[in-house]
Amino acid sequence: MTALVLKDVCKSFGAVDVLRNIDLTVEDGEFVVFVGPSGCGKSTLLRVIAGLEDATSGDVEIAGARVNAVPPAKRGIAMVFQSYALYPHLTVKENMALALKQEGTPRDVIAARVAEATRMLELGPYLDRRPADLSGGQRQRVAIGRAVVRQPKLFLFDEPLSNLDASLRMATRIEIAALHRSLSAAMIYVTHDQTEAMTLADKIVVLRDGRVEQIGSPMELYNNPANRFVAGFLGAPAMNFLDAATLGGPGGATLGIRPEHLRVTDAGRIKGTVAHVENLGGDTNIIVETGAGERVTVRVFGQYPCTVGRSAALDFDDADAFLFDAAGARLVAEPA
Amino acid sequence: MRDLFIGLFGKPEGIMLFQLIEATQFTIYLSLLAFVLGGSVGALVTLARVMPSRAAQRVAIAYIWAFQSAPLLMLLFLFGLGVPRLLGLDVNPWIAASVALLLYTSAYLADVWRGALETIPQGQWEAARALGMRFLPTLWKVILPQAVRVALAPTVGFMVQIIKGTSLAYIIGFHDLMAIGKRWANAPVEGTEAFIVYPLMALIYFALCFPLSLLALRLERRLGKPSRMPKPNLA
């Protein structure tokens, strides 16, 4: 069964169109990530699915039932917020149990579900504490626990990691992936962080200006972006875009090449001087400024001695390059 | 009691003092009545004001506007003099004063309480809704327990306004501290002149109001301090 179907969903705030004609299907157990720059409408889309906002037009179906007029409480969803939004006056245990209690769930069922979530999220030592006495990572786990005990058909995560520091973010990311594997429920996850999207998703939905730019698995989008926006948004460091004309290349307005597909050679097609070097230990990012003033990032694996100011030439295999027209659409070369 | 006062302060001062203190009880009763009735109606108006129903919100807003902008004195005249005239029957000053104070108090408290509810971040409402809770359980179990802390100090503070407000009820023949005191001040009796009676009355009002003001201040210090509250962005 499908967990969620969106049909031609539009949302406007007054004259501003925030979502335009969104169509999407999420299968049971699928992990779908909405990704895009801030203001692309990804959080609004999540709120429309949750029922916190009404769609201006179009249909939202959850588990096969149209829910446009169904209040959030009855949609069978559970949401984790960026701000956590824990209830500050209640203990961790009470935070998780409150909604179940209000629905009249039997006490032993509540106790069992809270115990299960507690075990899964390792919240045992904190059950009687209040949110104010928890660290950011612990609060985040309580927020997830509050959703888990609901056993929803659909989990909604709204940028759940953006208030955590970098090390905790990675650990929590892995926890969320593990959670998804063990719950096998459908999850929709909103983020502006392409790393989170790439590492967590079964399916990524790239949004821009309220429109879906492309939907596909992480590697599909990485290897086969539909347009310049998707190509530039996924991957870090980001893809380089060069004026195709200066390369005497095979047509198109812009040539895109990923940093790891460039190599430093003695006689390459891209010539310039080294403007900056980022030594990361495991790999090295070299930023080369070309004669035309374009900045090109090269990713070299391992450590690479390189001084700023020296001249450098770069080259790539044509097979690794992407071509885009002036409007940013991908030009796919005819198979020879 | 009366004789004790006469014994202590002589005549007419003892009689006057006794009568003032005796009348004070009606000031207290009327204040409590206004607070309990006004608080109950105010709670209902607050509920209507924050309900998802637009119609209920509009009614509540109109109610608050109407009775917050009407001077209490005018409400007292209306219910103590206007309505009896209209209906052609006598209205007990207790009822007239209670109704006027109820309207005044409920409109004011509804606004204070709405403000307190609105200090709770929208995320709390949304979290509860997105986790399966409907409006009333959310209000009752999530929002109210947090908002009470915010509302307590201004509510106690407003009781001072009610006590002072009851003093206007003398104008429709309500026999409270104000009415008795005014009668003494106007009586051609030596020792009860206006410059003696009114400061005495002020002292009695002060004795009623000051403890409440102190309580409000302490509550504000205890509960209103942001440091005691969780950080807003994480709440």
Side-chain angles (χ1 to χ4, degrees):
Chain A
M1 197 167 59
T2 51
L4 171 79
V5 179
L6 299 178
K7 287 181 188 158
D8 202 22
V9 168
C10 300
K11 172 75 187 171
S12 324
F13 293 109
V16 184
D17 296 330
V18 181
L19 296 173
R20 308 171 206 220
N21 313 95
I22 307 280
D23 287 294
L24 177 70
T25 303
V26 177
E27 301 297 336
D28 258 354
E30 207 171 17
F31 199 124
V32 175
V33 174
F34 295 170
V35 70
S38 57
C40 71
K42 55 191 189 298
S43 281
T44 306
L45 184 56
L46 197 74
R47 293 170 60 83
V48 167
I49 295 168
L52 296 174
E53 306 276 359
D54 289 324
T56 307
S57 66
D59 283 334
V60 180
E61 286 176 16
I62 293 176
R66 186 171 175 274
V67 294
N68 287 34
V70 177
K74 296 207 150 185
R75 289 193 178 194
I77 52 139
M79 188 157 167
V80 177
F81 291 80
Q82 179 178 5
S83 63
Y84 316 141
L86 299 178
Y87 312 132
H89 58 299
L90 300 179
T91 63
V92 167
K93 194 198 277 178
E94 290 165 337
N95 260 280
M96 291 196 274
L98 181 64
L100 294 176
K101 227 183 257 173
Q102 291 304 311
E103 286 171 333
T105 312
R107 275 164 166 258
D108 52 328
V109 176
I110 297 178
R113 290 207 202 164
V114 170
E116 171 67 7
T118 303
R119 185 192 60 73
M120 206 183 281
L121 297 159
E122 293 165 19
L123 286 168
Y126 317 112
L127 280 182
D128 294 319
R129 294 209 199 154
R130 283 171 205 252
D133 302 325
L134 300 178
S135 71
Q138 290 161 349
R139 286 178 195 175
Q140 180 55 263
R141 294 219 296 279
V142 177
I144 295 172
R146 213 169 47 168
V148 167
V149 295
R150 312 251 337 127
Q151 303 189 339
K153 293 171 242 171
L154 186 60
F155 279 91
L156 305 174
F157 291 90
D158 189 8
E159 307 218 18
L161 306 187
S162 52
N163 283 340
L164 302 180
D165 60 50
S167 61
L168 207 51
R169 209 176 296 164
M170 176 151 177
T172 313
R173 207 164 70 203
I174 293 167
E175 267 179 43
I176 289 177
L179 190 74
H180 176 242
R181 271 193 295 275
S182 65
L183 293 174
S184 64
M187 294 186 175
I188 298 179
Y189 185 106
V190 164
T191 181
H192 60 267
D193 183 318
Q194 60 91 26
T195 314
E196 281 173 31
M198 297 293 283
T199 51
L200 286 169
D202 294 320
K203 186 153 94 181
I204 294 180
V205 179
V206 182
L207 291 155
R208 179 170 62 152
D209 294 340
R211 262 187 249 277
V212 173
E213 292 284 322
Q214 195 174 3
I215 300 178
S217 75
M219 288 312 117
E220 267 169 44
L221 299 198
Y222 192 81
N223 295 330
N224 205 6
N227 53 46
R228 182 179 161 163
F229 177 76
V230 175
F233 196 79
L234 298 179
M239 184 184 279
N240 298 297
F241 295 104
L242 297 161
D243 188 347
T246 62
L247 297 168
T254 311
L255 181 141
I257 181 81
R258 294 203 182 273
E260 63 266 33
H261 292 145
L262 283 169
R263 56 179 181 271
V264 184
T265 63
D266 294 333
R269 280 173 279 178
I270 306 168
K271 293 184 182 61
T273 52
V274 175
H276 186 66
V277 182
E278 288 180 332
N279 290 305
L280 301 171
D283 45 38
T284 308
N285 295 329
I286 305 166
I287 292 101
V288 173
E289 195 164 304
T290 68
E294 292 165 322
R295 290 202 154 197
V296 180
T297 306
V298 190
R299 186 173 181 195
V300 184
F301 292 95
Q303 298 174 9
Y304 192 88
C306 184
T307 45
V308 172
R310 66 162 263 203
S311 61
L314 310 171
D315 211 348
F316 56 91
D317 290 335
D318 285 347
D320 291 327
F322 299 91
L323 292 171
F324 304 97
D325 68 14
R330 171 92 180 274
L331 300 172
V332 181
E334 295 295 322
Chain B
M1 256 307 238
R2 186 168 184 266
D3 297 336
L4 175 72
F5 271 87
I6 296 170
L8 276 175
F9 301 102
K11 283 184 185 180
E13 288 87 350
I15 301 175
M16 174 192 71
L17 212 53
F18 174 73
Q19 286 194 356
L20 288 181
I21 288 172
E22 197 182 29
T24 303
Q25 64 177 310
F26 297 110
T27 292
I28 295 173
Y29 298 154
L30 186 62
S31 301
L32 287 176
L33 205 60
F35 184 71
V36 171
L37 295 178
S40 310
V41 174
L44 292 176
V45 176
T46 310
L47 180 67
R49 179 68 184 80
V50 299
M51 258 167 72
S53 155
R54 278 281 159 80
Q57 284 180 20
R58 289 214 183 96
V59 171
I61 290 170
Y63 182 93
I64 292 169
W65 272 3
F67 295 114
Q68 230 182 24
S69 46
L72 179 57
L73 193 56
M74 193 219 79
L75 290 175
L76 283 164
F77 278 136
L78 182 62
F79 289 97
L81 307 173
V83 171
R85 188 71 170 271
L86 180 72
L87 301 179
L89 48 82
D90 268 351
V91 173
N92 184 321
W94 271 99
I95 296 174
S98 300
V99 170
L101 280 161
L102 178 158
L103 294 172
Y104 168 73
T105 306
S106 59
Y108 194 90
L109 285 180
D111 215 26
V112 169
W113 292 344
R114 175 198 54 91
L117 292 177
E118 283 179 359
T119 62
I120 308 306
Q122 197 59 30
Q124 292 282 308
W125 284 99
E126 292 186 346
R129 284 169 73 200
L131 288 162
M133 285 171 62
R134 316 203 68 170
F135 173 75
L136 277 178
T138 303
L139 182 65
W140 192 245
K141 291 286 180 177
V142 176
I143 307 300
L144 266 186
Q146 301 180 55
V148 162
R149 303 168 61 97
V150 183
L152 214 49
T155 302
V156 172
F158 182 64
M159 286 185 75
V160 172
Q161 301 299 319
I162 299 177
I163 292 173
K164 292 193 290 184
T166 58
S167 68
L168 292 173
Y170 88 91
I171 209 118
I172 56 166
F174 187 83
H175 286 275
D176 70 338
L177 173 58
M178 192 61 173
I180 302 298
K182 197 166 157 33
R183 192 186 298 164
W184 275 104
N186 290 342
V189 181
E190 210 171 311
T192 68
E193 289 87 349
F195 60 82
I196 294 174
V197 178
Y198 286 124
L200 269 176
M201 288 162 63
L203 213 60
I204 294 175
Y205 276 114
F206 177 80
L208 292 177
C209 295
F210 185 61
L212 287 172
S213 296
L214 268 188
L215 180 63
L217 201 68
R218 288 188 57 172
L219 287 170
E220 203 173 292
R221 285 212 191 112
R222 279 258 313 275
L223 304 175
K225 273 277 164 63
S227 60
R228 291 276 310 160
M229 301 287 277
K231 289 173 197 161
N233 66 325
L234 300 172

